[in-house]
Amino acid sequence: MKNNSLAYLQIVIKTLLTTLVIAVSSYAHAVEYSSIDASKSKITFTSKLMGSKISGSFGKFSGKVLFNTDEPEKAKAALAIDVSSFNAGGEELQEEAKGKDWFSAKLFPTANFATDSVKVVGPNSIEVRGTLTIKGKTVPLLISVKYQPQGKQMVFDASFQVLRLNFGLGAGNWADTSAVANEVPVSVHLVLNQK
């Protein structure tokens, strides 16, 4: 009887140890990424101005991002873009963009994006639903995102389209979409460091 109890106890201990090893090793594979590598990350856009294509970017943005490789659907992001860092065309255009007809940078210094939900749509591919707020106007966005590890970093590439008039960008004469296109394709290249 003692031998049976001892054998049973050994089996229980072995099972517990095996379960613990599996739990620890699977936990070790889950990697979290959170801090933005500002030197490698960028937000770029294109637009049509008087029939010509112009490209630009926002040089400064910050925020909080949380991404776990084992649970991509639980990813969260809250980004603040400094609208004064708008960079497209010449100096005159950049000053115009900061004025009240466009970003009204003094009243609304940042544009903000926040995630609502994330859906896995394929290998290393997610669909992010969130909201973008510019000039006090909030609009829902659906963003396609691809991600891949690079060394100890995770790299995300996202693209979406903004309709500038939804945010009151380009008032007065600028509201004419034959002068400035309403559709603004945006690309985000986000590089995160491990937590």
Side-chain angles (χ1 to χ4, degrees):
M1 194 74 174
K2 276 183 181 177
N3 284 345
N4 282 348
S5 295
L6 188 61
Y8 177 73
L9 189 60
Q10 284 175 330
I11 289 169
V12 168
I13 289 170
K14 267 187 182 175
T15 306
L16 283 171
L17 284 172
T18 304
T19 306
L20 186 63
V21 166
I22 290 168
V24 168
S25 66
S26 65
Y27 177 77
H29 289 295
V31 181
E32 284 194 348
Y33 298 84
S34 59
S35 67
I36 299 170
D37 186 333
S39 67
K40 294 181 182 175
S41 301
K42 58 185 176 180
I43 297 173
T44 56
F45 60 88
T46 56
S47 183
K48 277 191 179 169
L49 175 65
M50 309 295 184
S52 297
K53 183 178 169 182
I54 63 163
S55 298
S57 64
F58 288 94
K60 290 182 190 170
F61 63 95
S62 59
K64 291 182 179 179
V65 181
L66 191 60
F67 182 82
N68 185 315
T69 53
D70 280 2
E71 298 176 310
E73 70 283 357
K74 291 186 178 176
K76 292 191 183 310
L79 300 176
I81 299 115
D82 179 351
V83 297
S84 291
S85 69
F86 173 94
N87 183 6
E91 221 172 280
E92 196 178 323
L93 183 60
Q94 289 175 47
E95 281 309 307
E96 182 72 39
K98 294 172 196 174
K100 62 183 176 78
D101 285 347
W102 288 90
F103 286 100
S104 199
K106 284 183 182 172
L107 279 177
F108 305 98
T110 61
N112 299 88
F113 174 78
T115 53
D116 290 330
S117 64
V118 177
K119 180 182 173 186
V120 176
V121 291
N124 290 27
S125 187
I126 53 177
E127 207 172 66
V128 177
R129 287 186 185 275
T131 53
L132 179 63
T133 303
I134 302 174
K135 274 180 93 171
K137 294 176 173 63
T138 300
V139 173
L141 273 186
L142 179 62
I143 305 173
S144 299
V145 183
K146 298 269 187 197
Y147 63 91
Q148 62 178 19
Q150 271 186 12
K152 291 190 172 183
Q153 295 182 313
M154 187 64 73
V155 178
F156 298 83
D157 283 295
S159 56
F160 55 95
Q161 183 170 263
V162 169
L163 299 177
R164 67 177 179 86
L165 293 176
N166 286 349
F167 299 97
L169 296 173
N173 294 335
W174 295 112
D176 180 2
T177 55
S178 66
V180 183
N182 189 28
E183 302 82 7
V184 182
V186 179
S187 295
V188 178
H189 181 74
L190 192 65
V191 180
L192 297 184
N193 298 313
Q194 282 183 21
K195 195 172 180 183

